[in-house]
């Protein structure tokens, strides 16, 4: 009975470990999806940032032209 | 000997499962750190985007004032 009991306990433990293992695998899969989404978001935000900085450079150029025009009465 | 063999095999499996379980736990911990970093990056990029858009609005305001000044010779 000891062997049987140990064997059963052992099996139960293995089943619990397997269940836990599968739970963790699901968590990892979900986190991978989430990380992929976040990477896409970061990439998109960096593209937006570069575009906005370029837009600011262009407006600064226009503004400085206005200042020059005014200074020299053009 | 069959029981012994089964018991041993069972224990080996449990040890393997435990090892795998700890590996996955480490992976999850690393992914959590990585996700925390990415969340901070996204938050920072959104703040930067808002700041740049505000800067563009201000320059647009200055540019439209220049156009109005020019139009009315002010």
């Amino acid at each position: 009975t000891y062997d049987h009991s140990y064997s059963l306990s052992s099996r139960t433990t293995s089943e619990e470990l397997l269940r836990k293992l599968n739970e963790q695998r699901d968590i990892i899969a979900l986190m991978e999806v989430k990380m992929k989404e976040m990477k896409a978001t970061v990439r998109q935000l960096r593209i937006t940032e570069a575009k906005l900085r370029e837009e600011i450079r262009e407006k600064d150029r226009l503004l400085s032209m206005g200042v020059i025009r005014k200074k020299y009465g053009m």
Side-chain angles (χ1 to χ4, degrees), chain A:
Chain A
T1 57
Y2 173 77
D3 270 335
H4 178 71
S5 161
Y6 175 79
S7 171
L8 210 131
S9 156
S10 191
R11 193 202 303 197
T12 306
T13 303
S14 282
E15 272 169 16
E16 271 182 30
L17 289 174
L18 253 178
R19 188 182 52 74
K20 187 75 185 157
L21 208 57
N22 284 324
E23 273 180 22
Q24 281 187 345
R25 189 166 303 164
D26 290 346
I27 290 170
I28 288 173
L30 284 173
M31 288 176 87
E32 275 171 353
V33 169
K34 184 74 184 155
M35 278 181 73
K36 223 172 187 170
E37 285 173 6
M38 289 177 80
K39 269 186 191 168
T41 301
V42 167
R43 188 165 37 241
Q44 190 51 57
L45 284 169
R46 288 201 195 283
I47 291 169
T48 301
E49 181 182 352
K51 201 195 68 184
L52 292 175
R53 289 198 187 279
E54 176 58 32
E55 210 176 310
I56 286 174
R57 265 193 297 277
E58 174 65 13
K59 291 184 192 306
D60 279 341
R61 202 177 59 81
L62 292 172
L63 283 169
S64 70
M65 277 170 61
V67 170
I68 290 166
R69 261 204 308 272
K70 200 179 175 189
K71 193 172 176 184
Y72 295 99
M74 290 154 79

